[in-house]
Amino acid sequence: MSKNPATAFEQLQTILGKVSDLSSASALLSWDQQTGMPPRGAAARGQVLATLSETIHGMITAPEVAKLLAEAGAKPRLSRDEKAWLREATWANERACKLPASLVRELSLAEAQAFEDWQRAKAAQKFALFSPSLKKLVALARQKAECFGYAETPWDALAQDFERGTSAARVTKLFSPLRDATVDLLAKIRNAKPVDSSCLTGKWPLDAQREFGMRVARDIGYDFNAGRLDVSSHPFSTTITAGDHRITTRYAESNLLDALGSIIHECGHALYEQGFNIKDARGPLYEAPSLGVHESQSRFWEVRIGQSLPFWRHYHPIIRQYFPGRFDDVTAEQLYAAVNQVEPDFIRVEADEITYNLHIIIRFELEVAILSGELSVDDIPAAWNEKYARYLGITVPNDAKGCLQDVHWAYGAFGYFPSYTLGNIYSAMLVEKLEADVKGLWKGIERGDFGAALSWLRENIHTHGRRMPAEELVKQATGRAPTVEPLIKYLRKKYGSIYGVR
Amino acid sequence: MSKNPATAFEQLQTILGKVSDLSSASALLSWDQQTGMPPRGAAARGQVLATLSETIHGMITAPEVAKLLAEAGAKPRLSRDEKAWLREATWANERACKLPASLVRELSLAEAQAFEDWQRAKAAQKFALFSPSLKKLVALARQKAECFGYAETPWDALAQDFERGTSAARVTKLFSPLRDATVDLLAKIRNAKPVDSSCLTGKWPLDAQREFGMRVARDIGYDFNAGRLDVSSHPFSTTITAGDHRITTRYAESNLLDALGSIIHECGHALYEQGFNIKDARGPLYEAPSLGVHESQSRFWEVRIGQSLPFWRHYHPIIRQYFPGRFDDVTAEQLYAAVNQVEPDFIRVEADEITYNLHIIIRFELEVAILSGELSVDDIPAAWNEKYARYLGITVPNDAKGCLQDVHWAYGAFGYFPSYTLGNIYSAMLVEKLEADVKGLWKGIERGDFGAALSWLRENIHTHGRRMPAEELVKQATGRAPTVEPLIKYLRKKYGSIYGVR
């Protein structure tokens, strides 16, 4: 008995399966780099990651891949899934072919170096320790943008890796009404009576923080048999392979909400990937269509669920078991108000819902200017601080609390930041539809039943993986093209009620 | 200004550097698999490791490599280091070229599956759960042996990966006098007055075990900035890259010595690799010449240092701080005797120095028979138990304490076991020379000065990496060809004194 020779499609599956495997190795190396690598391993780790990037790039750009793609695409009667698979494989191949292997290696090495320098600079609160490697990354990013090509501005070329089809102009158009509405709402809130958040001050034992965070993660559906929780200086989630979807957080004794919010946020990402269709594993559909959609899931759980009144009504008696005596004189409603206190501050990941999008808009505006050359790297701290003064009315005390706070640029990830606010926008759209589809949703949350929301997301978002582009997926799930209106409406209603403003 | 074109040697360095990088990725994936991978990631992990093996194999067997090796070797006036480098690169290339890529992938997948099955079988104490995948591994190992070729028995072909130049016949010749001397000594010890080891019974808090273990690791020179200590069901050490040399152990409340012994043993391996010459990193000389030499380092620290009287004289007051009240009525000499109690038992890694080599000899004899086809996989438990009855006089109660106790075969590592006893043999030779070279060695150990021993090993063993074959290295360090005589002499003297026998 002889086997039929592999079809072009099957050969592509084998090749992309191996690409996926090497990407898994790379994901684990990065996870380890941030969670437990001994410091003296740093230099060599960069080489390993660079070799993996280069090897992956070599596999995906091998001449046979384009040939096989053409051959597989010419087959009559392709199924909808096969078409999607080939569309994504073709995108990956064409995009990679635009980058020379030497640039891929150089980028990877520069990113590893920049990550190390960023850590040192942040610890020392000195942007100058980071600026040489950031300059290198910016130069390489602009080179990359030239390789990809763009119509208007280099930022557009790079952003395609995060939100395909987007552009600085489109993002600006979507964000502008949000910025205006936010600034307006923020002004009203600042004139309103402040929320009492004193119940969140004091020290919070780290063990109890960890136990409570894991409890919430389990409750909302995170599977610890297919994941784990570790500590890293910048919280993140990563999928190593199918069945291995990890999250990290960080703990501070003085801040109960930072670790908890990060755990729920990263859980949102991981729940998404734990909900991918296992049949798609080791292939290009085992992905979110965009980071905006990805962030819609993390922000959904972190904010729309984790900062809602029903959530805190449910956890009010439970959290008192983890921190005995700490909330004895506080009602669920008071706790909810404290959690949602609006206060312009420096750190994005600790920001309230109102100011959060301003943090993003600042980063977005800056990175467009950096990549176009309008803003030089050396001038970033000044430009950053100026925008924080203008949009948020606060004076940044040092670079660690300013332009060094986020890891993204140190990873060369320019074009990533808008994803968070796109996530808020998509998330608001999804919640409107979820509320319409699932009667008694919030009553369920109040009882600790998160399953209905998760099931709805599994069915409408997770299981599709990358079958559809982001906008199409959002449209299919909500019946609307991306619009900022549900988010603005929600923010006005929620904070209008908490602060008694309109 | 134009750069000179890369020489053949430089091109080889680039290629082997990448091979080393991918091996680093593989090492991290294995480390993670054993220390923290969520269970549902197991299946996909096998694929990732298989793709890495296959990719590494493809790189090292690329036709250009043989061509470049010939070209580089033809250069006149090669330095001693260049010659060694090329010898090892050629060995790696030639050995890999003998294996078809498909077999490499199949082996890697079968090993991942076997590891999972072994874990299940061990937990269930049922060899039958492991035997199907072990059969597959044995069949593949025999296929591998045929690819490599051998003069006498398939075991010889496989053992070259662990101890180049060895053969079952040579090992037998070296081991026979040791077996006879051991059986003889063991008979005398069994007739002697037993040692009082009651001070080691009871429960030992895990935190204190961990703290004390790390204390000893640091004292003997292990650099935690270039390593870390984790928990795994089978203790191991692994080098991810230069500067990242990890160790693991396991803790049992009822056994103080198991975790401690494992930590010191794995530290011995890691100290070796932390002592490699950094200039050799990412190349074929950044390795031990053989596993026998590697085990000479782990066994040196575990047994020759960690089970010596001066060691326990030093740690006697210190261990009392970690376990308050537990050794108040025990002298250093009594503790030393208890640590060195000879008692035939089932578990190799917990065995005393006398019976340890019998554990190894049993495994060695079995694996030669398994690979030659003389012993079928299904008959392993019976053969195992028969040998334990014959050599050690004990009745194996179940497979978990019998033929399922070690991970090696589940990793397809046939030919590995003799390394441990070779390590004991080499180690005894090294100690004789070390004692001659370093006056006051044991007085220093008694004061907690381990630096003299480590420096001697760094200079005479570690820094050479794989520059010389194992036997040549041992000869250069000790002035003698491998001989079992120092080990036998040492065992007779030490245990003669502890048990009052001759």
Side-chain angles (χ1 to χ4, degrees), chain A residues 112-313:
Chain A
Q113 183 61 54
F115 178 70
E116 292 304 309
D117 292 346
W118 168 75
Q119 285 188 311
R120 276 193 310 124
K122 192 176 171 183
Q125 309 188 343
K126 274 195 186 140
F127 181 75
L129 293 176
F130 178 46
S131 61
S133 56
L134 183 57
K135 276 178 201 167
K136 176 144 197 195
L137 279 187
V138 169
L140 289 171
R142 291 168 77 173
Q143 232 177 292
K144 203 170 154 186
E146 295 307 321
C147 294
F148 289 141
Y150 52 88
E152 289 176 30
T153 180
W155 188 91
D156 296 349
L158 301 173
Q160 303 310 308
D161 285 332
F162 309 112
E163 197 75 21
R164 215 182 301 166
T166 197
S167 68
R170 291 188 65 165
V171 170
T172 303
K173 204 172 151 194
L174 207 54
F175 284 8
S176 289
L178 178 62
R179 187 188 52 202
D180 296 346
T182 303
V183 168
D184 174 61
L185 192 52
L186 187 57
K188 287 174 182 159
I189 290 170
R190 295 179 112 170
N191 287 326
K193 181 169 171 263
V195 151
D196 176 9
S197 64
S198 57
C199 67
L200 294 173
T201 56
K203 302 231 169 198
W204 306 90
L206 301 189
D207 279 356
Q209 284 196 45
R210 183 163 181 276
E211 290 306 315
F212 182 64
M214 287 180 75
R215 159 70 183 268
V216 173
R218 254 188 294 270
D219 287 349
I220 66 176
Y222 180 73
D223 178 1
F224 276 95
N225 281 320
R228 48 180 287 154
L229 170 64
D230 292 270
V231 172
S232 64
S233 73
H234 197 95
F236 67 98
S237 81
T238 182
T239 281
I240 311 298
T241 62
D244 189 352
H245 313 271
R246 307 185 180 189
I247 57 173
T248 72
T249 191
R250 60 184 174 197
Y251 303 96
E253 233 187 2
S254 60
N255 194 332
L256 174 63
L257 295 184
D258 185 26
L260 178 66
S262 295
I263 288 175
I264 305 178
H265 180 97
E266 302 309 337
C267 254
H269 285 301
L271 283 172
Y272 188 178
E273 307 214 339
Q274 287 184 339
F276 284 160
N277 193 328
I278 186 72
K279 284 190 295 183
D280 294 333
R282 297 180 80 237
L285 301 182
Y286 198 78
E287 292 265 7
S290 82
L291 276 190
V293 175
H294 227 311
E295 294 297 336
S296 80
Q297 301 305 295
S298 53
R299 296 290 289 171
F300 171 84
W301 290 103
E302 179 193 1
V303 176
R304 297 306 303 263
I305 298 294
Q307 297 176 11
S308 70
L309 182 55
F311 179 92
W312 285 106
R313 282 203 173 121

Side-chain angles (χ1 to χ4, degrees), chain A residues 73-84:
Chain A
K75 196 193 126 196
R77 287 186 308 278
L78 287 166
S79 72
R80 199 164 159 250
D81 272 10
E82 286 172 328
K83 277 184 198 157

